[in-house]
Amino acid sequence: MRRPMIAGNWKMFKDKDGVKAFAKELCSKVKDVSDRDILVCPPAVYLESLSRAFSGTKIKTGAQNIFWEDEGAYTGEISGSMAKDAGADYTLIGHSERRQYFHETDETVNKRLIAALKHGLIPVVCVGERLEERQDKRTFDVIGTQIRQGLKGITDAQAVSIIFAYEPVWAIGTGKTATPDIAQEVHAYIRGTIQGVLGKDRAEGMRILYGGSVKPGNVDDLMCQPDIDGALVGGASLEASSFGKIIRFRG
Ligand code: PGA
């Protein structure tokens, strides 16, 4: 049985007071929830205060990105150990906005993944096709390559903690969610591809989250699908009220 996970990605939103208020409200909304993992990925500058606000609860924090070197002259970057120091247990890797705006490639995703594992961060590796790729019927090709390149050099033992997130780029922030059937079809393909790289046991145990306009109103149907193990939520994770409702999905 794969344990469900609901993860929030705040992207570049919120201020100090907003972080504090959110933490207080979310803690009270989900204090009785214990059968699923809860994760919030704030901007890096708020990692420490948010981690502190969640201490003593089951809610975990994650970075939105880490660099692959441990330290050095890399202005603007943070390392895995720094994220860890600030209280993160997880890190997103290869989010489509990183790929689109910051020239992230499958090769750099792989480097960041190796760094995350080295520092004991649980990586949430994001994959997904763009609209034109779906229209050209290249969805499986694109995602297959992202997974195989992303996992290059990763051993079976190292892969235990890895989580994947399927985020069709055309569904992110657009209000257009993939239907549960479309999402399930790709999730099953992702699991099959992981099986090809890491074997059946690892594939069966690996959690695959869906992301792209997840809301309180559509999460239940998505979570009913056999290969959807959780959600990576952007916009609807910014308010504790909507994020709390998503966390309480009925699957
Ligand atoms: P969205 O973002 O829920 O706002 O579509 C999802 C994501 O980018 O992780």
Side-chain angles (χ1 to χ4, degrees), residues 9 11 92 95-97 167 171-175 211-215 232-236:
N9 169 16
K11 311 191 179 186
L92 303 182
H95 188 280
S96 67
E97 286 149 17
E167 298 207 305
I172 294 177
T174 58
S213 299
V214 175
K215 305 273 181 295
L232 178 53
V233 187

Side-chain angles (χ1 to χ4, degrees), residues 21-251:
F22 176 97
K24 195 165 170 225
E25 197 183 337
L26 189 69
C27 287
S28 80
K29 282 196 186 305
V30 301
K31 60 173 177 293
D32 58 326
V33 176
S34 58
D35 61 345
R36 49 201 72 179
D37 289 339
I38 305 170
L39 168 67
V40 180
C41 301
V45 288
Y46 301 127
L47 254 179
E48 187 156 10
S49 60
L50 190 66
S51 304
R52 207 175 304 124
F54 288 154
S55 70
T57 76
K58 296 200 177 68
I59 310 171
K60 303 292 187 191
T61 59
Q64 295 179 6
N65 183 38
I66 56 157
F67 193 57
W68 53 83
E69 297 291 349
D70 292 349
E71 59 179 12
Y74 303 106
T75 303
E77 295 296 313
I78 65 162
S79 68
S81 59
M82 290 170 185
K84 198 84 199 177
D85 246 3
D89 287 304
Y90 291 76
T91 183
L92 303 182
I93 293 184
H95 188 280
S96 67
E97 286 149 17
R98 300 291 320 168
R99 294 178 190 257
Q100 185 177 352
Y101 303 124
F102 304 99
H103 314 296
E104 193 85 58
T105 62
D106 292 335
E107 195 189 339
T108 60
V109 166
N110 178 251
K111 287 181 166 189
R112 290 179 211 272
L113 175 56
I114 291 168
L117 294 169
K118 173 177 163 190
H119 292 290
L121 290 164
I122 301 175
V124 179
V125 182
C126 305
V127 298
E129 81 285 10
R130 290 181 281 126
L131 181 61
E132 57 274 26
E133 292 165 338
R134 173 160 284 271
Q135 285 166 340
D136 289 350
K137 305 205 182 320
R138 290 176 48 223
T139 298
F140 292 156
D141 264 10
V142 167
I143 290 174
T145 303
Q146 288 174 341
I147 294 170
R148 281 187 290 271
Q149 300 288 323
L151 288 175
K152 220 169 175 179
I154 304 284
T155 65
D156 179 60
Q158 283 177 309
V160 177
S161 71
I162 299 175
I163 296 171
F164 271 90
Y166 169 52
E167 298 207 305
V169 180
W170 48 271
I172 294 177
T174 58
K176 282 188 208 142
T177 326
T179 62
D181 288 348
I182 291 179
Q184 166 57 28
E185 186 187 28
V186 180
H187 279 234
Y189 175 79
I190 291 173
R191 202 175 299 289
T193 307
I194 293 167
Q195 180 170 331
V197 181
L198 295 168
K200 190 166 192 306
D201 286 355
R202 200 56 73 229
E204 281 303 314
M206 192 156 303
R207 290 185 288 181
I208 306 171
L209 317 181
Y210 169 78
S213 299
V214 175
K215 305 273 181 295
N218 59 26
V219 67
D220 290 353
D221 289 342
L222 288 159
M223 290 303 294
C224 283
Q225 299 297 321
D227 286 295
I228 299 184
D229 307 311
L232 178 53
V233 187
S237 74
L238 289 169
E239 299 298 329
S241 53
S242 50
F243 193 51
K245 284 184 192 143
I246 293 173
I247 290 167
R248 291 180 169 283
F249 73 86
R250 268 171 278 158

